[in-house]
Amino acid sequence: MMANPLYHKNIISISELSKEELELIVQTAFKLKSHPRNDLLKNKLIGSCFFEASTRTRLSFETAVQRLGGNIIGFSDASNTSLAKKGETLADSIRIITSYTDALIMRHYREGAARLAADVSPVPIINAGDGSNQHPSQTLLDLFTIYETQGRLDNISIAFVGDLKYGRTVHSLSQALCKYNAKIYLVSPESLAMPEYIIDEYKENNIEFHVANTIEEVIPKVDILYMTRVQKERFDETEYRHLRAKFVLSANSFVGAKDNLKVLHPLPRIDEITLDVDTTPYAYYFQQAANGVFARQALLSLVLNEEV
Amino acid sequence: MTMKSQLQVEAIRQGTVIDHIPAGQALNILKLFHFLDTKDRITVGFNLPSKAFGHKDIIKVENVSITEEQSNQLALFAPKATVNIIDDFKVVKKRQLSLPERITNVFKCPNSNCITHYEPVAISNFKIINNNGKIQLKCKYCEKVFDREIVTNNI
């Protein structure tokens, strides 16, 4: 039996995962959600090193490890460690930690830190976010949630709403969906529009995409409404108040929605999804967050077991 | 054109002539190849009239023949440059420039939060992307993609 293609691989960037590998992770997450396993990381010790605090991501990863029967060492914020104070290079810290563990989950505030770790580590590195660059497990849980709610990844109609300029999540997800012939709608303030290099990728992949002005006009057309937060700090107060109304989803917004429509959001949501949406059949962002544990279980099991 | 007007910069006996450099790029190329670190005689012409480009720069370095790898690095600054290897005042070899797949340890990453600025083992490493003639560089570490000029001006 050949080992699965992710066995002992570093997971640094979503762009390095092939269509087959993405599907393997999604299928494995689906399997582990319906038939939980508590043995896939038995006798494995996983490093969980968060050089930058990220409570949500860390708890999700650590839950995944523990549910699979693995053990964890690590830290939740490097400023509480002696690493930062003693001036050791990141490369040396990684060499030491990965000499103890079977894999390392790491988050760092600088772009490229995970790639550097992979250069010096003898064990697989799983990138849990490197600055504004990559956060592959977020994209995997998004893909898993799309698959779970729509029964497929191909030919999905999806709208991205909010901050499309700085939103790493929407960049990575829309790049991944280029492999699946998605139809994409973009709804954002002009100053937070999708960057040109992502639009170029749509074009290269012959992806149909449309820029729309309001959430209401895209709702009847889409299977997935992917909301993100427009950060207040990016605007002056009057401008923000003006914009806010345009990019807020409320229970009244769903006129003409398809039955299979699901609303996703990487969380935290602030006020771009009003509370009355939570009780509609369309809301799926809390289940999406819960799915993060299964997507991460799938990733860890595939990286650390020849067969799952 | 007479001989006199062709020789805008003094001929060399032996070495390398890099011609048809876009005006203003000669200094960057001197830095790229660390030509100024040697004691060899270097003649540089800036803003010389050129039929093809309007203006061009030219570099003549005595006693140095640049390698194929260096020629390929040069392609990033000056894709249309010509490299002539000179022996006894004659051109003995013309190098064709072709873009390398990757370029390491030459340019700094323009992204100031890239790990390459903070960790000595993370040596700058760019993949060269040719997007229908538009040359871009993608950092191996931060994965950001930059237009050629943004990277090459950051030497």
Side-chain angles (χ1 to χ4, degrees), chain A residues 13 89-91 109-113 115-116 119 132-134, chain B residues 111 113-115 118-122 131 140-144:
Chain A
S13 175
T89 64
L90 177 63
Y109 46 89
R110 294 206 197 284
E111 289 95 53
R115 181 77 60 197
L116 166 74
D119 283 352
S132 67
N133 184 31
Q134 286 275 328
Chain B
N111 170 13
N113 199 41
C114 177
I115 196 75
Y118 302 91
E119 285 284 314
V121 300
N131 203 344
K140 170 188 161 183
Y141 289 95
C142 73
E143 303 188 21
K144 297 219 176 335

Side-chain angles (χ1 to χ4, degrees), chain A residues 233-292:
Chain A
E233 328 56 284
R234 302 205 191 278
F235 297 92
D236 75 52
E237 216 169 295
T238 336
E239 202 183 359
Y240 178 74
R241 244 182 292 137
H242 177 72
L243 283 171
R244 190 186 170 278
K246 250 174 118 177
F247 302 99
V248 168
L249 181 71
S250 72
N252 306 326
S253 310
F254 294 106
V255 180
K258 298 187 197 178
D259 291 343
N260 62 322
L261 171 69
K262 292 294 176 221
V263 178
L264 306 186
H265 190 302
L267 304 185
R269 70 132 162 219
I270 307 300
D271 47 16
E272 61 280 3
I273 300 180
T274 58
L275 298 182
D276 58 1
V277 176
D278 296 358
T279 50
T280 68
Y282 308 113
Y284 210 75
Y285 27 91
F286 298 125
Q287 291 94 324
Q288 177 193 7
N291 276 346

Side-chain angles (χ1 to χ4, degrees), chain A residues 99-114:
Chain A
S99 74
Y100 304 152
T101 61
D102 297 298
L104 174 64
I105 298 158
M106 76 174 269
R107 172 123 173 169
H108 200 278
Y109 46 89
R110 294 206 197 284
E111 289 95 53

Side-chain angles (χ1 to χ4, degrees), chain A residues 17-196:
Chain A
L17 294 170
S18 68
K19 201 175 166 188
E20 292 70 30
E21 288 166 342
L22 292 174
E23 278 156 30
L24 175 65
I25 296 164
V26 165
Q27 303 284 358
T28 306
F30 198 73
K31 230 162 64 179
L32 291 172
K33 186 169 181 179
S34 50
H35 298 94
R37 296 274 298 267
N38 60 9
D39 57 338
L40 286 167
L41 294 186
K42 207 174 152 199
N43 300 324
K44 301 279 191 228
L45 180 62
I46 312 297
S48 167
C49 294
F50 280 63
F51 293 88
E52 170 189 62
S54 172
T55 309
R56 223 178 302 272
T57 300
R58 184 175 58 84
L59 292 180
S60 177
F61 263 115
E62 294 187 358
T63 303
V65 171
Q66 305 226 29
R67 291 279 189 206
L68 292 171
N71 293 306
I72 293 179
I73 60 162
F75 47 85
S76 58
D77 184 348
S79 62
N80 301 328
T81 70
S82 63
L83 298 172
K85 288 165 203 142
K86 292 181 179 165
E88 184 177 55
T89 64
L90 177 63
D92 283 0
S93 301
I94 298 295
R95 285 186 179 109
I96 303 302
I97 298 163
T98 54
S99 74
Y100 304 152
T101 61
D102 297 298
L104 174 64
I105 298 158
M106 76 174 269
R107 172 123 173 169
H108 200 278
Y109 46 89
R110 294 206 197 284
E111 289 95 53
R115 181 77 60 197
L116 166 74
D119 283 352
V120 300
S121 166
V123 300
I125 301 291
I126 294 178
N127 185 6
D130 59 326
S132 67
N133 184 31
Q134 286 275 328
H135 189 8
S137 64
Q138 175 70 46
T139 308
L140 294 169
L141 79 88
D142 290 340
L143 288 174
F144 170 44
T145 304
I146 292 171
Y147 179 79
E148 182 187 52
T149 59
Q150 309 296 326
R152 63 183 205 283
L153 290 173
D154 291 298
N155 308 314
I156 295 292
S157 219
I158 183 167
F160 292 104
V161 181
D163 179 354
L164 308 186
K165 185 174 180 186
Y166 299 100
R168 174 177 64 184
T169 319
V170 296
H171 300 165
S172 301
L173 178 59
S174 71
Q175 284 170 303
L177 286 172
C178 281
K179 296 187 166 99
Y180 293 97
N181 194 36
K183 190 194 263 190
I184 295 173
Y185 295 88
L186 304 170
V187 189
S188 74
E190 218 169 292
S191 53
L192 294 178
M194 194 63 102
E196 206 54 42

